[in-house]
PDB file of all heavy atoms in Angstrom:
ATOM      1  N   ILE F 101    -211.205 167.409-105.828  1.00 97.00           N
ATOM      2  CA  ILE F 101    -212.159 166.319-105.479  1.00 97.00           C
ATOM      3  C   ILE F 101    -213.472 166.922-104.995  1.00 97.00           C
ATOM      4  O   ILE F 101    -214.560 166.328-105.291  1.00 97.00           O
ATOM      5  CB  ILE F 101    -211.551 165.381-104.351  1.00 97.00           C
ATOM      6  CG1 ILE F 101    -210.361 164.675-104.883  1.00 97.00           C
ATOM      7  CG2 ILE F 101    -212.592 164.573-103.704  1.00 97.00           C
ATOM      8  CD1 ILE F 101    -209.613 163.871-103.801  1.00 97.00           C
ATOM      9  N   GLU F 102    -213.430 168.132-104.418  1.00 97.00           N
ATOM     10  CA  GLU F 102    -214.707 168.706-103.827  1.00 97.00           C
ATOM     11  C   GLU F 102    -215.647 168.931-104.936  1.00 97.00           C
ATOM     12  O   GLU F 102    -216.985 168.903-104.701  1.00 97.00           O
ATOM     13  CB  GLU F 102    -214.370 169.965-103.128  1.00 97.00           C
ATOM     14  CG  GLU F 102    -213.835 169.643-101.712  1.00 97.00           C
ATOM     15  CD  GLU F 102    -213.446 170.938-100.863  1.00 97.00           C
ATOM     16  OE1 GLU F 102    -213.174 172.008-101.601  1.00 97.00           O
ATOM     17  OE2 GLU F 102    -213.413 170.960 -99.703  1.00 97.00           O
ATOM     18  N   HIS F 103    -215.248 169.286-106.175  1.00 97.00           N
ATOM     19  CA  HIS F 103    -216.190 169.559-107.222  1.00 97.00           C
ATOM     20  C   HIS F 103    -217.016 168.316-107.587  1.00 97.00           C
ATOM     21  O   HIS F 103    -218.245 168.436-107.784  1.00 97.00           O
ATOM     22  CB  HIS F 103    -215.430 169.978-108.562  1.00 97.00           C
ATOM     23  CG  HIS F 103    -214.782 171.321-108.474  1.00 97.00           C
ATOM     24  ND1 HIS F 103    -215.555 172.470-108.471  1.00 97.00           N
ATOM     25  CD2 HIS F 103    -213.543 171.701-108.435  1.00 97.00           C
ATOM     26  CE1 HIS F 103    -214.766 173.536-108.452  1.00 97.00           C
ATOM     27  NE2 HIS F 103    -213.482 173.129-108.336  1.00 97.00           N
ATOM     28  N   PHE F 104    -216.429 167.134-107.471  1.00 98.00           N
ATOM     29  CA  PHE F 104    -217.142 165.890-107.704  1.00 98.00           C
ATOM     30  C   PHE F 104    -217.945 165.517-106.419  1.00 98.00           C
ATOM     31  O   PHE F 104    -218.965 164.812-106.534  1.00 98.00           O
ATOM     32  CB  PHE F 104    -216.185 164.867-108.098  1.00 98.00           C
ATOM     33  CG  PHE F 104    -215.404 165.241-109.430  1.00 98.00           C
ATOM     34  CD1 PHE F 104    -214.244 165.854-109.410  1.00 98.00           C
ATOM     35  CD2 PHE F 104    -216.158 164.954-110.594  1.00 98.00           C
ATOM     36  CE1 PHE F 104    -213.579 166.169-110.555  1.00 98.00           C
ATOM     37  CE2 PHE F 104    -215.429 165.367-111.811  1.00 98.00           C
ATOM     38  CZ  PHE F 104    -214.186 165.894-111.728  1.00 98.00           C
ATOM     39  N   GLU F 105    -217.332 165.685-105.265  1.00 97.00           N
ATOM     40  CA  GLU F 105    -218.115 165.403-103.993  1.00 97.00           C
ATOM     41  C   GLU F 105    -219.357 166.106-103.886  1.00 97.00           C
ATOM     42  O   GLU F 105    -220.399 165.506-103.522  1.00 97.00           O
ATOM     43  CB  GLU F 105    -217.163 165.743-102.865  1.00 97.00           C
ATOM     44  CG  GLU F 105    -217.715 165.657-101.439  1.00 97.00           C
ATOM     45  CD  GLU F 105    -217.966 164.247-101.054  1.00 97.00           C
ATOM     46  OE1 GLU F 105    -217.311 163.276-101.515  1.00 97.00           O
ATOM     47  OE2 GLU F 105    -218.687 163.894-100.055  1.00 97.00           O
ATOM     48  N   TRP F 106    -219.315 167.328-104.312  1.00 97.00           N
ATOM     49  CA  TRP F 106    -220.623 168.145-104.229  1.00 97.00           C
ATOM     50  C   TRP F 106    -221.605 168.028-105.247  1.00 97.00           C
ATOM     51  O   TRP F 106    -222.753 168.635-105.320  1.00 97.00           O
ATOM     52  CB  TRP F 106    -220.212 169.598-104.038  1.00 97.00           C
ATOM     53  CG  TRP F 106    -219.351 169.948-102.764  1.00 97.00           C
ATOM     54  CD1 TRP F 106    -219.252 169.135-101.569  1.00 97.00           C
ATOM     55  CD2 TRP F 106    -218.438 171.007-102.619  1.00 97.00           C
ATOM     56  NE1 TRP F 106    -218.446 169.714-100.716  1.00 97.00           N
ATOM     57  CE2 TRP F 106    -217.918 170.855-101.290  1.00 97.00           C
ATOM     58  CE3 TRP F 106    -218.060 172.089-103.366  1.00 97.00           C
ATOM     59  CZ2 TRP F 106    -216.856 171.754-100.853  1.00 97.00           C
ATOM     60  CZ3 TRP F 106    -217.069 173.059-102.832  1.00 97.00           C
ATOM     61  CH2 TRP F 106    -216.597 172.782-101.587  1.00 97.00           C
ATOM     62  N   HIS F 107    -221.179 167.364-106.392  1.00 98.00           N
ATOM     63  CA  HIS F 107    -221.967 167.285-107.612  1.00 98.00           C
ATOM     64  C   HIS F 107    -223.126 166.273-107.388  1.00 98.00           C
ATOM     65  O   HIS F 107    -222.779 165.194-107.076  1.00 98.00           O
ATOM     66  CB  HIS F 107    -221.241 167.010-108.875  1.00 98.00           C
ATOM     67  CG  HIS F 107    -221.974 167.197-110.151  1.00 98.00           C
ATOM     68  ND1 HIS F 107    -222.953 166.393-110.527  1.00 98.00           N
ATOM     69  CD2 HIS F 107    -221.897 168.289-111.018  1.00 98.00           C
ATOM     70  CE1 HIS F 107    -223.440 166.946-111.605  1.00 98.00           C
ATOM     71  NE2 HIS F 107    -222.792 168.000-111.954  1.00 98.00           N
ATOM     72  N   PRO F 108    -224.379 166.638-107.512  1.00 97.00           N
ATOM     73  CA  PRO F 108    -225.458 165.615-107.256  1.00 97.00           C
ATOM     74  C   PRO F 108    -225.508 164.357-108.119  1.00 97.00           C
ATOM     75  O   PRO F 108    -226.113 163.369-107.669  1.00 97.00           O
ATOM     76  CB  PRO F 108    -226.704 166.526-107.378  1.00 97.00           C
ATOM     77  CG  PRO F 108    -226.350 167.616-108.334  1.00 97.00           C
ATOM     78  CD  PRO F 108    -224.889 167.898-107.977  1.00 97.00           C
ATOM     79  N   GLU F 109    -224.950 164.435-109.295  1.00 97.00           N
ATOM     80  CA  GLU F 109    -225.040 163.270-110.211  1.00 97.00           C
ATOM     81  C   GLU F 109    -223.793 162.271-110.011  1.00 97.00           C
ATOM     82  O   GLU F 109    -223.860 161.146-110.459  1.00 97.00           O
ATOM     83  CB  GLU F 109    -224.975 163.722-111.605  1.00 97.00           C
ATOM     84  CG  GLU F 109    -226.284 164.379-112.018  1.00 97.00           C
ATOM     85  CD  GLU F 109    -226.253 164.764-113.554  1.00 97.00           C
ATOM     86  OE1 GLU F 109    -226.699 163.867-114.357  1.00 97.00           O
ATOM     87  OE2 GLU F 109    -225.821 165.837-113.942  1.00 97.00           O
ATOM     88  N   ILE F 110    -222.780 162.762-109.231  1.00 97.00           N
ATOM     89  CA  ILE F 110    -221.620 161.820-108.996  1.00 97.00           C
ATOM     90  C   ILE F 110    -221.884 160.849-107.810  1.00 97.00           C
ATOM     91  O   ILE F 110    -222.173 161.319-106.808  1.00 97.00           O
ATOM     92  CB  ILE F 110    -220.366 162.693-108.720  1.00 97.00           C
ATOM     93  CG1 ILE F 110    -220.013 163.538-109.937  1.00 97.00           C
ATOM     94  CG2 ILE F 110    -219.215 161.759-108.413  1.00 97.00           C
ATOM     95  CD1 ILE F 110    -219.648 162.790-111.198  1.00 97.00           C
ATOM     96  N   ASP F 111    -221.919 159.618-108.081  1.00 97.00           N
ATOM     97  CA  ASP F 111    -222.186 158.624-107.188  1.00 97.00           C
ATOM     98  C   ASP F 111    -220.974 158.100-106.482  1.00 97.00           C
ATOM     99  O   ASP F 111    -221.029 157.747-105.227  1.00 97.00           O
ATOM    100  CB  ASP F 111    -222.810 157.307-107.823  1.00 97.00           C
ATOM    101  CG  ASP F 111    -224.108 157.723-108.601  1.00 97.00           C
ATOM    102  OD1 ASP F 111    -225.059 158.262-108.038  1.00 97.00           O
ATOM    103  OD2 ASP F 111    -224.128 157.297-109.767  1.00 97.00           O
ATOM    104  N   ASN F 112    -219.859 158.230-107.105  1.00 95.00           N
ATOM    105  CA  ASN F 112    -218.625 157.531-106.507  1.00 95.00           C
ATOM    106  C   ASN F 112    -217.308 158.227-107.107  1.00 95.00           C
ATOM    107  O   ASN F 112    -217.369 158.714-108.186  1.00 95.00           O
ATOM    108  CB  ASN F 112    -218.742 156.056-107.048  1.00 95.00           C
ATOM    109  CG  ASN F 112    -217.520 155.277-106.632  1.00 95.00           C
ATOM    110  OD1 ASN F 112    -217.179 155.272-105.372  1.00 95.00           O
ATOM    111  ND2 ASN F 112    -216.938 154.511-107.571  1.00 95.00           N
ATOM    112  N   ILE F 113    -216.352 158.289-106.217  1.00 97.00           N
ATOM    113  CA  ILE F 113    -215.041 158.742-106.626  1.00 97.00           C
ATOM    114  C   ILE F 113    -213.867 157.764-106.380  1.00 97.00           C
ATOM    115  O   ILE F 113    -213.897 157.127-105.243  1.00 97.00           O
ATOM    116  CB  ILE F 113    -214.704 160.120-105.897  1.00 97.00           C
ATOM    117  CG1 ILE F 113    -215.819 161.180-106.077  1.00 97.00           C
ATOM    118  CG2 ILE F 113    -213.318 160.640-106.284  1.00 97.00           C
ATOM    119  CD1 ILE F 113    -215.641 162.325-105.164  1.00 97.00           C
ATOM    120  N   ILE F 114    -213.062 157.499-107.299  1.00 97.00           N
ATOM    121  CA  ILE F 114    -211.899 156.716-107.126  1.00 97.00           C
ATOM    122  C   ILE F 114    -210.674 157.615-107.483  1.00 97.00           C
ATOM    123  O   ILE F 114    -210.650 158.323-108.397  1.00 97.00           O
ATOM    124  CB  ILE F 114    -211.920 155.526-108.133  1.00 97.00           C
ATOM    125  CG1 ILE F 114    -213.033 154.529-107.759  1.00 97.00           C
ATOM    126  CG2 ILE F 114    -210.506 154.831-108.000  1.00 97.00           C
ATOM    127  CD1 ILE F 114    -213.208 153.392-108.755  1.00 97.00           C
ATOM    128  N   VAL F 115    -209.711 157.615-106.518  1.00 96.00           N
ATOM    129  CA  VAL F 115    -208.455 158.393-106.670  1.00 96.00           C
ATOM    130  C   VAL F 115    -207.348 157.536-106.888  1.00 96.00           C
ATOM    131  O   VAL F 115    -207.165 156.588-106.142  1.00 96.00           O
ATOM    132  CB  VAL F 115    -208.316 159.328-105.440  1.00 96.00           C
ATOM    133  CG1 VAL F 115    -207.071 160.215-105.625  1.00 96.00           C
ATOM    134  CG2 VAL F 115    -209.501 160.181-105.079  1.00 96.00           C
ATOM    135  N   VAL F 116    -206.504 157.877-107.869  1.00 95.00           N
ATOM    136  CA  VAL F 116    -205.247 157.184-108.191  1.00 95.00           C
ATOM    137  C   VAL F 116    -204.225 158.070-107.660  1.00 95.00           C
ATOM    138  O   VAL F 116    -203.966 159.196-108.154  1.00 95.00           O
ATOM    139  CB  VAL F 116    -204.942 156.960-109.635  1.00 95.00           C
ATOM    140  CG1 VAL F 116    -203.777 156.042-109.740  1.00 95.00           C
ATOM    141  CG2 VAL F 116    -206.229 156.192-110.121  1.00 95.00           C
ATOM    142  N   CYS F 117    -203.464 157.610-106.567  1.00 93.00           N
ATOM    143  CA  CYS F 117    -202.594 158.564-105.813  1.00 93.00           C
ATOM    144  C   CYS F 117    -201.112 157.946-105.841  1.00 93.00           C
ATOM    145  O   CYS F 117    -200.957 156.774-105.733  1.00 93.00           O
ATOM    146  CB  CYS F 117    -203.171 158.671-104.422  1.00 93.00           C
ATOM    147  SG  CYS F 117    -202.184 159.783-103.308  1.00 93.00           S
ATOM    148  N   LEU F 118    -200.145 158.799-105.680  1.00 91.00           N
ATOM    149  CA  LEU F 118    -198.860 158.365-105.435  1.00 91.00           C
ATOM    150  C   LEU F 118    -198.863 157.637-104.170  1.00 91.00           C
ATOM    151  O   LEU F 118    -199.313 157.932-103.192  1.00 91.00           O
ATOM    152  CB  LEU F 118    -197.919 159.722-105.186  1.00 91.00           C
ATOM    153  CG  LEU F 118    -196.352 159.561-105.229  1.00 91.00           C
ATOM    154  CD1 LEU F 118    -195.892 159.053-106.668  1.00 91.00           C
ATOM    155  CD2 LEU F 118    -195.703 160.788-104.860  1.00 91.00           C
ATOM    156  N   GLU F 119    -198.271 156.308-104.278  1.00 90.00           N
ATOM    157  CA  GLU F 119    -198.449 155.353-103.196  1.00 90.00           C
ATOM    158  C   GLU F 119    -197.930 155.856-101.806  1.00 90.00           C
ATOM    159  O   GLU F 119    -198.573 155.572-100.819  1.00 90.00           O
ATOM    160  CB  GLU F 119    -197.694 154.071-103.587  1.00 90.00           C
ATOM    161  CG  GLU F 119    -197.960 152.868-102.651  1.00 90.00           C
ATOM    162  CD  GLU F 119    -197.442 151.503-103.134  1.00 90.00           C
ATOM    163  OE1 GLU F 119    -196.720 151.575-104.183  1.00 90.00           O
ATOM    164  OE2 GLU F 119    -197.906 150.512-102.605  1.00 90.00           O
ATOM    165  N   SER F 120    -196.784 156.524-101.846  1.00 91.00           N
ATOM    166  CA  SER F 120    -196.281 156.986-100.603  1.00 91.00           C
ATOM    167  C   SER F 120    -197.055 158.105 -99.926  1.00 91.00           C
ATOM    168  O   SER F 120    -196.842 158.445 -98.742  1.00 91.00           O
ATOM    169  CB  SER F 120    -194.823 157.493-100.771  1.00 91.00           C
ATOM    170  OG  SER F 120    -194.758 158.457-101.748  1.00 91.00           O
ATOM    171  N   TRP F 121    -198.113 158.607-100.686  1.00 93.00           N
ATOM    172  CA  TRP F 121    -198.844 159.679-100.122  1.00 93.00           C
ATOM    173  C   TRP F 121    -200.351 159.268 -99.856  1.00 93.00           C
ATOM    174  O   TRP F 121    -201.213 160.123 -99.535  1.00 93.00           O
ATOM    175  CB  TRP F 121    -198.848 160.888-101.041  1.00 93.00           C
ATOM    176  CG  TRP F 121    -197.645 161.682-100.917  1.00 93.00           C
ATOM    177  CD1 TRP F 121    -196.345 161.370-101.352  1.00 93.00           C
ATOM    178  CD2 TRP F 121    -197.449 162.941-100.166  1.00 93.00           C
ATOM    179  NE1 TRP F 121    -195.470 162.243-100.943  1.00 93.00           N
ATOM    180  CE2 TRP F 121    -196.012 163.271-100.247  1.00 93.00           C
ATOM    181  CE3 TRP F 121    -198.256 163.634 -99.388  1.00 93.00           C
ATOM    182  CZ2 TRP F 121    -195.544 164.393 -99.619  1.00 93.00           C
ATOM    183  CZ3 TRP F 121    -197.824 164.920 -98.855  1.00 93.00           C
ATOM    184  CH2 TRP F 121    -196.491 165.164 -98.923  1.00 93.00           C
ATOM    185  N   ILE F 122    -200.678 158.032 -99.984  1.00 93.00           N
ATOM    186  CA  ILE F 122    -202.044 157.479 -99.736  1.00 93.00           C
ATOM    187  C   ILE F 122    -202.503 157.803 -98.328  1.00 93.00           C
ATOM    188  O   ILE F 122    -203.635 158.279 -98.105  1.00 93.00           O
ATOM    189  CB  ILE F 122    -202.163 156.077-100.139  1.00 93.00           C
ATOM    190  CG1 ILE F 122    -201.975 155.900-101.648  1.00 93.00           C
ATOM    191  CG2 ILE F 122    -203.483 155.475 -99.619  1.00 93.00           C
ATOM    192  CD1 ILE F 122    -202.093 154.462-102.119  1.00 93.00           C
ATOM    193  N   LYS F 123    -201.625 157.550 -97.371  1.00 93.00           N
ATOM    194  CA  LYS F 123    -201.997 157.805 -96.057  1.00 93.00           C
ATOM    195  C   LYS F 123    -202.296 159.313 -95.732  1.00 93.00           C
ATOM    196  O   LYS F 123    -203.254 159.572 -94.998  1.00 93.00           O
ATOM    197  CB  LYS F 123    -200.883 157.232 -95.042  1.00 93.00           C
ATOM    198  CG  LYS F 123    -201.221 157.417 -93.593  1.00 93.00           C
ATOM    199  CD  LYS F 123    -200.055 156.865 -92.775  1.00 93.00           C
ATOM    200  CE  LYS F 123    -200.417 157.014 -91.251  1.00 93.00           C
ATOM    201  NZ  LYS F 123    -199.190 156.531 -90.441  1.00 93.00           N
ATOM    202  N   GLU F 124    -201.542 160.112 -96.296  1.00 94.00           N
ATOM    203  CA  GLU F 124    -201.815 161.615 -96.172  1.00 94.00           C
ATOM    204  C   GLU F 124    -203.090 161.944 -96.830  1.00 94.00           C
ATOM    205  O   GLU F 124    -203.870 162.793 -96.261  1.00 94.00           O
ATOM    206  CB  GLU F 124    -200.556 162.304 -96.748  1.00 94.00           C
ATOM    207  CG  GLU F 124    -200.754 163.842 -96.487  1.00 94.00           C
ATOM    208  CD  GLU F 124    -200.393 164.270 -94.994  1.00 94.00           C
ATOM    209  OE1 GLU F 124    -200.382 163.383 -94.193  1.00 94.00           O
ATOM    210  OE2 GLU F 124    -200.284 165.483 -94.792  1.00 94.00           O
ATOM    211  N   LEU F 125    -203.309 161.414 -97.975  1.00 94.00           N
ATOM    212  CA  LEU F 125    -204.594 161.664 -98.680  1.00 94.00           C
ATOM    213  C   LEU F 125    -205.834 161.189 -97.867  1.00 94.00           C
ATOM    214  O   LEU F 125    -206.791 162.024 -97.726  1.00 94.00           O
ATOM    215  CB  LEU F 125    -204.710 161.061-100.076  1.00 94.00           C
ATOM    216  CG  LEU F 125    -206.005 161.078-100.787  1.00 94.00           C
ATOM    217  CD1 LEU F 125    -206.283 162.613-101.153  1.00 94.00           C
ATOM    218  CD2 LEU F 125    -205.960 160.339-102.151  1.00 94.00           C
ATOM    219  N   LYS F 126    -205.785 160.066 -97.255  1.00 95.00           N
ATOM    220  CA  LYS F 126    -206.872 159.582 -96.306  1.00 95.00           C
ATOM    221  C   LYS F 126    -207.104 160.616 -95.202  1.00 95.00           C
ATOM    222  O   LYS F 126    -208.239 160.890 -94.840  1.00 95.00           O
ATOM    223  CB  LYS F 126    -206.559 158.207 -95.845  1.00 95.00           C
ATOM    224  CG  LYS F 126    -206.616 157.179 -96.826  1.00 95.00           C
ATOM    225  CD  LYS F 126    -206.290 155.738 -96.264  1.00 95.00           C
ATOM    226  CE  LYS F 126    -206.367 154.685 -97.278  1.00 95.00           C
ATOM    227  NZ  LYS F 126    -206.114 153.346 -96.714  1.00 95.00           N
ATOM    228  N   ARG F 127    -205.982 161.096 -94.653  1.00 95.00           N
ATOM    229  CA  ARG F 127    -206.185 162.153 -93.583  1.00 95.00           C
ATOM    230  C   ARG F 127    -206.913 163.317 -94.142  1.00 95.00           C
ATOM    231  O   ARG F 127    -207.745 163.828 -93.373  1.00 95.00           O
ATOM    232  CB  ARG F 127    -204.728 162.520 -93.057  1.00 95.00           C
ATOM    233  CG  ARG F 127    -204.770 163.386 -91.874  1.00 95.00           C
ATOM    234  CD  ARG F 127    -203.323 163.761 -91.391  1.00 95.00           C
ATOM    235  NE  ARG F 127    -202.618 164.701 -92.221  1.00 95.00           N
ATOM    236  CZ  ARG F 127    -202.763 166.029 -92.254  1.00 95.00           C
ATOM    237  NH1 ARG F 127    -203.599 166.518 -91.357  1.00 95.00           N
ATOM    238  NH2 ARG F 127    -202.059 166.745 -93.033  1.00 95.00           N
ATOM    239  N   PHE F 128    -206.525 163.923 -95.273  1.00 95.00           N
ATOM    240  CA  PHE F 128    -207.199 165.004 -95.742  1.00 95.00           C
ATOM    241  C   PHE F 128    -208.655 164.727 -96.148  1.00 95.00           C
ATOM    242  O   PHE F 128    -209.504 165.630 -96.015  1.00 95.00           O
ATOM    243  CB  PHE F 128    -206.495 165.599 -96.993  1.00 95.00           C
ATOM    244  CG  PHE F 128    -205.248 166.406 -96.687  1.00 95.00           C
ATOM    245  CD1 PHE F 128    -203.948 166.057 -97.101  1.00 95.00           C
ATOM    246  CD2 PHE F 128    -205.277 167.518 -95.915  1.00 95.00           C
ATOM    247  CE1 PHE F 128    -202.865 166.749 -96.739  1.00 95.00           C
ATOM    248  CE2 PHE F 128    -204.261 168.236 -95.548  1.00 95.00           C
ATOM    249  CZ  PHE F 128    -202.869 167.924 -95.987  1.00 95.00           C
ATOM    250  N   LEU F 129    -208.902 163.607 -96.655  1.00 96.00           N
ATOM    251  CA  LEU F 129    -210.287 163.237 -96.983  1.00 96.00           C
ATOM    252  C   LEU F 129    -211.224 163.246 -95.751  1.00 96.00           C
ATOM    253  O   LEU F 129    -212.370 163.857 -95.696  1.00 96.00           O
ATOM    254  CB  LEU F 129    -210.373 161.850 -97.643  1.00 96.00           C
ATOM    255  CG  LEU F 129    -209.833 161.761 -99.039  1.00 96.00           C
ATOM    256  CD1 LEU F 129    -209.877 160.186 -99.466  1.00 96.00           C
ATOM    257  CD2 LEU F 129    -210.386 162.570-100.021  1.00 96.00           C
ATOM    258  N   LYS F 130    -210.606 162.775 -94.611  1.00 95.00           N
ATOM    259  CA  LYS F 130    -211.394 162.802 -93.373  1.00 95.00           C
ATOM    260  C   LYS F 130    -211.537 164.221 -92.809  1.00 95.00           C
ATOM    261  O   LYS F 130    -212.622 164.528 -92.356  1.00 95.00           O
ATOM    262  CB  LYS F 130    -210.650 161.949 -92.342  1.00 95.00           C
ATOM    263  CG  LYS F 130    -211.352 161.781 -91.044  1.00 95.00           C
ATOM    264  CD  LYS F 130    -210.642 160.851 -90.076  1.00 95.00           C
ATOM    265  CE  LYS F 130    -211.452 160.635 -88.786  1.00 95.00           C
ATOM    266  NZ  LYS F 130    -210.858 159.707 -87.800  1.00 95.00           N
ATOM    267  N   LEU F 131    -210.467 164.982 -92.980  1.00 95.00           N
ATOM    268  CA  LEU F 131    -210.413 166.399 -92.478  1.00 95.00           C
ATOM    269  C   LEU F 131    -211.489 167.220 -93.168  1.00 95.00           C
ATOM    270  O   LEU F 131    -212.114 168.121 -92.494  1.00 95.00           O
ATOM    271  CB  LEU F 131    -209.033 167.012 -92.690  1.00 95.00           C
ATOM    272  CG  LEU F 131    -208.914 168.439 -92.243  1.00 95.00           C
ATOM    273  CD1 LEU F 131    -209.056 168.598 -90.688  1.00 95.00           C
ATOM    274  CD2 LEU F 131    -207.520 168.927 -92.616  1.00 95.00           C
ATOM    275  N   TYR F 132    -211.619 167.016 -94.443  1.00 95.00           N
ATOM    276  CA  TYR F 132    -212.569 167.905 -95.210  1.00 95.00           C
ATOM    277  C   TYR F 132    -213.939 167.193 -95.551  1.00 95.00           C
ATOM    278  O   TYR F 132    -214.694 167.530 -96.313  1.00 95.00           O
ATOM    279  CB  TYR F 132    -211.910 168.307 -96.607  1.00 95.00           C
ATOM    280  CG  TYR F 132    -210.862 169.342 -96.383  1.00 95.00           C
ATOM    281  CD1 TYR F 132    -209.471 169.005 -96.207  1.00 95.00           C
ATOM    282  CD2 TYR F 132    -211.169 170.671 -96.044  1.00 95.00           C
ATOM    283  CE1 TYR F 132    -208.541 169.809 -95.857  1.00 95.00           C
ATOM    284  CE2 TYR F 132    -210.229 171.649 -95.795  1.00 95.00           C
ATOM    285  CZ  TYR F 132    -208.882 171.194 -95.732  1.00 95.00           C
ATOM    286  OH  TYR F 132    -207.889 172.174 -95.462  1.00 95.00           O
ATOM    287  N   ASP F 133    -214.175 166.104 -94.799  1.00 95.00           N
ATOM    288  CA  ASP F 133    -215.392 165.347 -94.801  1.00 95.00           C
ATOM    289  C   ASP F 133    -215.813 164.916 -96.187  1.00 95.00           C
ATOM    290  O   ASP F 133    -216.914 165.128 -96.730  1.00 95.00           O
ATOM    291  CB  ASP F 133    -216.590 166.265 -94.233  1.00 95.00           C
ATOM    292  CG  ASP F 133    -217.787 165.405 -93.892  1.00 95.00           C
ATOM    293  OD1 ASP F 133    -217.669 164.301 -93.526  1.00 95.00           O
ATOM    294  OD2 ASP F 133    -218.886 166.109 -93.886  1.00 95.00           O
ATOM    295  N   ILE F 134    -214.842 164.387 -96.969  1.00 95.00           N
ATOM    296  CA  ILE F 134    -215.067 163.880 -98.269  1.00 95.00           C
ATOM    297  C   ILE F 134    -215.631 162.370 -98.097  1.00 95.00           C
ATOM    298  O   ILE F 134    -214.921 161.590 -97.634  1.00 95.00           O
ATOM    299  CB  ILE F 134    -213.733 163.765 -99.175  1.00 95.00           C
ATOM    300  CG1 ILE F 134    -213.187 165.175 -99.225  1.00 95.00           C
ATOM    301  CG2 ILE F 134    -214.005 163.277-100.511  1.00 95.00           C
ATOM    302  CD1 ILE F 134    -214.051 166.273 -99.900  1.00 95.00           C
ATOM    303  N   ARG F 135    -216.828 162.164 -98.547  1.00 96.00           N
ATOM    304  CA  ARG F 135    -217.496 160.783 -98.329  1.00 96.00           C
ATOM    305  C   ARG F 135    -217.706 159.919 -99.531  1.00 96.00           C
ATOM    306  O   ARG F 135    -217.961 158.730 -99.373  1.00 96.00           O
ATOM    307  CB  ARG F 135    -218.860 161.086 -97.713  1.00 96.00           C
ATOM    308  CG  ARG F 135    -218.708 161.817 -96.392  1.00 96.00           C
ATOM    309  CD  ARG F 135    -220.073 162.070 -95.687  1.00 96.00           C
ATOM    310  NE  ARG F 135    -219.949 162.755 -94.422  1.00 96.00           N
ATOM    311  CZ  ARG F 135    -220.934 162.961 -93.503  1.00 96.00           C
ATOM    312  NH1 ARG F 135    -222.032 162.365 -93.777  1.00 96.00           N
ATOM    313  NH2 ARG F 135    -220.697 163.646 -92.430  1.00 96.00           N
ATOM    314  N   LYS F 136    -217.517 160.524-100.775  1.00 97.00           N
ATOM    315  CA  LYS F 136    -217.808 159.745-101.915  1.00 97.00           C
ATOM    316  C   LYS F 136    -216.583 158.877-102.437  1.00 97.00           C
ATOM    317  O   LYS F 136    -216.796 158.068-103.360  1.00 97.00           O
ATOM    318  CB  LYS F 136    -218.277 160.619-103.055  1.00 97.00           C
ATOM    319  CG  LYS F 136    -219.664 161.099-102.804  1.00 97.00           C
ATOM    320  CD  LYS F 136    -220.179 161.998-104.176  1.00 97.00           C
ATOM    321  CE  LYS F 136    -221.508 162.619-103.881  1.00 97.00           C
ATOM    322  NZ  LYS F 136    -221.866 163.392-105.102  1.00 97.00           N
ATOM    323  N   VAL F 137    -215.417 159.120-101.870  1.00 96.00           N
ATOM    324  CA  VAL F 137    -214.259 158.391-102.260  1.00 96.00           C
ATOM    325  C   VAL F 137    -214.365 156.888-101.784  1.00 96.00           C
ATOM    326  O   VAL F 137    -214.370 156.694-100.556  1.00 96.00           O
ATOM    327  CB  VAL F 137    -212.896 159.016-101.817  1.00 96.00           C
ATOM    328  CG1 VAL F 137    -211.707 158.051-102.181  1.00 96.00           C
ATOM    329  CG2 VAL F 137    -212.712 160.388-102.490  1.00 96.00           C
TER     330      VAL F 137
END
Side-chain angles (χ1 to χ4, degrees):
I101 291 172
E102 284 178 334
H103 290 291
F104 299 94
E105 174 73 17
W106 297 336
H107 195 285
E109 292 185 89
I110 298 295
D111 302 305
N112 178 48
I113 302 170
I114 294 175
V115 182
V116 184
C117 181
L118 194 65
E119 188 168 14
S120 58
W121 282 79
I122 288 177
K123 184 177 179 180
E124 186 72 352
L125 176 58
K126 288 180 178 178
R127 184 179 74 82
F128 281 118
L129 293 176
K130 185 176 181 180
L131 178 64
Y132 288 98
D133 196 29
I134 304 294
R135 301 185 181 187
K136 288 185 181 178
V137 175

